[in-house]
Amino acid sequence: ALARLVDEALTRRERGAAAVSKPMTGRPEDTSVGFVLSAPRSGSTLLRLMLSAHPALFCPPELFLLDHASMADWQADDFSDFYRDGLVRAVMAAAELDYAAALARVEALVAADASTAEVYDLLRGQPGLLLVDKTPTYALGMACLQRAEQLFDRPRYVGLVRHPLAVIESFVRNRLDRIRRVRGDPHELGERYWVQCNHNVLAFGEQIGAERFRLVHYEDLVRDPEPVLTGVCAHLGVAYDAAVLDPYGRGRMFGGPGDPNIHRRGKIDPELADAWRSVSLPRPLGHEARELATRLGYVLPAED
Ligand code: A3P
């Protein structure tokens, strides 16, 4: 099943085609929530901004909800307040509140120890809007991914993957080890994050199946966004809207956690698809990373 998911994504790339998802079958699916799953530094903020430009999609900054059982748990997590800002901004938009009122709403949810499901209900209650939650920490744990299946009725997923050399270099340059407060050699941690997240995303995608899980390569997205986004829109069950090609347009939700450099780019930069070619890591990639990268169709430099 995994080989089929990857093959399908790579065949789409070869054909330059936006294969349309199969029609829904069996019991009805949840059309109010979907997820973008990836390792950090895979271009997920860019994809979020693209999707948030669509009038039928609500794709707020990172929420960190699914990896917590309830709001007391969310509040107790060892991440900085900056990471809590994504939910505040999402509540602002969903409940049409100003920042102070949205913050007070979030604080009240924490005080009441509201369940994660209750908070999702608040965010996905907007008629005609599909909430797309893109939070890269979800992919770190299979239990977290499984929670999406428990909380929602067969939601749809987009798995976003990127070349490991580009992801690890970006992880180290942006000091994600410090931001995430993890100790150890940053290159080793970057590689471990890439392996763990991508391994989980693929294993989960394999379990979900191609009907509800679609694999996207970052490199395809930035080189030729239109066919990729046409396919992603169809997969999420919304009509294609060319606004998704304009992630830097007026009124996009830029603030909150995510890529801190996103503002600076100003346009979709296709050259970053080849960023990995000029990366030289201090040590060769380990066996697991090499194997996973090859399965994803990535070319790797020969080992010294
Ligand atoms: P760098 O800025 O370190 O190169 P994520 O949002 O998942 O954390 O991924 C961040 C990465 O997405 C960036 O890492 C960059 O490579 C890529 N990216 C951000 N904005 C982009 C844009 N406008 N065009 C192409 N790639 C972009």
Side-chain angles (χ1 to χ4, degrees):
L2 170 60
R4 216 172 44 236
L5 286 177
V6 177
D7 274 0
E8 219 185 72
L10 297 178
T11 312
R12 278 200 305 268
R13 174 195 289 183
E14 273 157 31
R15 290 205 200 117
V20 173
S21 295
K22 283 188 225 155
M24 298 177 187
T25 54
R27 65 194 169 92
E29 297 185 6
D30 199 319
T31 53
S32 66
V33 66
F35 293 88
V36 171
L37 307 174
S38 73
R41 315 311 303 170
S42 302
S44 61
T45 312
L46 178 66
L47 178 56
R48 179 182 78 71
L49 286 173
M50 289 165 156
L51 298 181
S52 72
H54 193 292
L57 299 175
F58 175 44
C59 197
E62 299 168 14
L63 298 171
F64 302 97
L65 271 180
L66 197 60
D67 40 2
H68 297 95
S70 71
M71 287 303 282
D73 186 31
W74 179 83
Q75 182 66 23
D77 201 331
D78 183 29
F79 49 57
S80 68
D81 280 348
F82 172 65
Y83 283 90
R84 287 181 238 282
D85 198 46
L87 179 57
V88 177
R89 286 169 189 271
V91 170
M92 265 175 91
E96 295 182 21
L97 298 172
D98 64 19
Y99 190 89
L103 180 61
R105 181 69 122 346
V106 170
E107 284 169 353
L109 291 165
V110 170
D113 193 17
S115 68
T116 305
E118 216 176 301
V119 183
Y120 272 116
D121 284 348
L122 171 68
L123 300 179
R124 66 197 182 114
Q126 305 169 82
L129 272 190
L130 171 76
L131 167 68
V132 181
D133 178 358
K134 96 87 181 160
T135 307
T137 49
Y138 296 168
L140 282 167
M142 273 308 260
C144 172
L145 300 179
Q146 299 295 359
R147 189 172 295 135
E149 287 291 285
Q150 287 151 13
L151 288 181
F152 307 108
D153 199 357
R154 296 164 41 82
R156 293 207 163 198
Y157 304 89
V158 175
L160 176 67
V161 295
R162 186 179 184 184
H163 196 293
L165 294 186
V167 169
I168 296 166
E169 187 279 329
S170 174
F171 184 100
V172 173
R173 180 165 34 84
N174 289 280
R175 294 315 310 253
L176 246 70
D177 53 323
R178 285 197 195 147
I179 295 170
R180 296 275 154 92
R181 298 179 184 171
V182 277
R183 284 168 182 275
D185 171 67
H187 282 98
E188 200 182 311
L189 285 166
E191 180 173 338
R192 206 178 323 142
Y193 263 66
W194 186 87
V195 169
Q196 191 166 326
C197 291
N198 285 288
H199 174 272
N200 287 343
V201 168
L202 291 183
F204 185 66
E206 191 177 16
Q207 178 194 320
I208 295 300
E211 202 178 316
R212 288 194 297 122
F213 178 93
R214 186 177 183 92
L215 193 67
V216 167
H217 286 70
Y218 161 85
E219 293 77 7
D220 299 341
L221 178 70
V222 295
R223 274 198 198 111
D224 194 6
E226 192 177 345
V228 175
L229 291 168
T230 303
V232 169
C233 285
H235 179 69
L236 293 174
V238 296
Y240 176 72
D241 188 309
V244 292
L245 295 176
D246 186 18
Y248 289 92
R250 272 170 66 103
R252 306 287 181 257
M253 281 182 93
F254 272 106
D259 177 14
N261 313 318
I262 193 85
H263 304 260
R264 280 202 257 126
R265 308 239 183 247
K267 64 172 188 49
I268 303 167
D269 184 353
E271 289 186 8
L272 287 175
D274 291 309
W276 64 272
R277 292 182 194 277
S278 47
V279 173
S280 140
L281 298 180
R283 58 186 195 122
L285 287 179
H287 172 72
E288 250 186 308
R290 298 189 75 86
E291 197 197 48
L292 200 49
T294 307
R295 277 161 76 197
L296 285 169
Y298 288 124
V299 176
L300 291 171
E303 269 182 74
D304 296 327

